[in-house]
Amino acid sequence: MSSSWRVLDADSLRKATLVPEPFPYLIIDNIIRPEVLSEVVGSFPAIKKRGSFPPHAVACAGLFATLMQEMQSDELRDLIGERLGMDLTNKPPMVTVRGRTSEKDGEIHTDSTSKLVTVLLYLNPGWASPVGRLRLLYNNRDLAPYAAEISPEAGRCLIFKVTPNCWHGHEPFDGERRTIQLNYVSSDKVRDRELNRHRLSAFLKQLFSK
């Protein structure tokens, strides 16, 4: 089945290996069409503060805006559900954008039970630092040993099913670390609540940065 996407590469998602342990996940080396990757990276919005922002709170333009639309499409939801063996019909998408991390970020955690699936797409033009690489973990205490390590380079994508043991984290990194997070959540009420929380956080960051 062909895709109408201009930015996302459906075949890369279809061909990715599903790893069942320690929790179901897929790692895709580049989920963005190679011919547009540099343009997508170049259109990533300037974000000077740490924290997660809803798309409307950042400047979405060019192919980055197209990417935002495709990441919230039913086609992507259905394909991810197929790959993970989950029925995500009518499960709303929630997207947030992060441009920076600090020493406060990276703690080992699992995602909240209201989230069914987490998708992390990185848009950093190369990654030389030995830290800031996301690790999929076996417990809530140790960053090593780890099941997998994902360098946050442009196009790299991690998709995992949210489970009680989906532990993940990274060594702290202070600086630019571009991430788009997509979650499929249990209800519109949950999505609205979470996005309102991010809106308030974004407003306060803007207010106190002046």
Side-chain angles (χ1 to χ4, degrees), residues 5-23:
W5 291 334
R6 293 180 57 206
V7 175
L8 292 174
D9 180 0
D11 284 340
S12 69
L13 176 50
R14 293 190 185 102
K15 295 175 181 177
T17 300
L18 176 64
V19 182
E21 299 293 341
F23 48 90

Side-chain angles (χ1 to χ4, degrees), residues 68-193:
M68 290 292 95
Q69 295 172 355
E70 294 180 1
M71 290 191 73
Q72 297 176 79
S73 68
D74 291 347
E75 184 181 352
L76 180 61
R77 181 201 63 200
D78 293 345
L79 183 51
I80 289 175
E82 177 186 323
R83 291 306 326 272
L84 292 177
M86 300 172 67
D87 183 4
L88 297 175
T89 306
N90 298 324
K91 301 304 181 186
M94 180 179 70
V95 174
T96 55
V97 183
R98 179 185 286 266
R100 304 186 67 83
T101 57
S102 75
E103 297 293 331
K104 299 178 181 178
D105 299 302
E107 289 187 357
I108 298 172
H109 67 285
T110 59
D111 288 353
S112 65
T113 56
S114 61
K115 297 175 180 177
L116 307 174
V117 174
T118 294
V119 180
L120 296 171
L121 170 58
Y122 298 105
L123 285 176
N124 301 285
W127 192 263
S129 175
V131 298
R133 300 167 187 258
L134 188 70
R135 293 177 179 178
L136 307 186
L137 304 168
Y138 296 103
N139 58 56
N140 63 347
R141 303 178 304 277
D142 306 308
L143 281 170
Y146 49 84
E149 184 178 63
I150 300 95
S151 178
E153 297 169 23
R156 194 69 50 83
C157 182
L158 167 69
I159 302 171
F160 64 87
K161 182 177 181 179
V162 176
T163 66
N165 69 319
C166 64
W167 302 108
H168 55 286
H170 61 80
E171 294 179 274
F173 176 81
D174 188 7
E176 185 175 60
R177 187 175 181 274
R178 302 173 172 187
T179 313
I180 301 167
Q181 180 165 324
L182 163 66
N183 293 103
Y184 297 103
V185 296
S186 55
S187 68
D188 289 327
K189 181 179 179 180
V190 167
R191 179 182 61 181
D192 293 345
R193 181 191 70 209

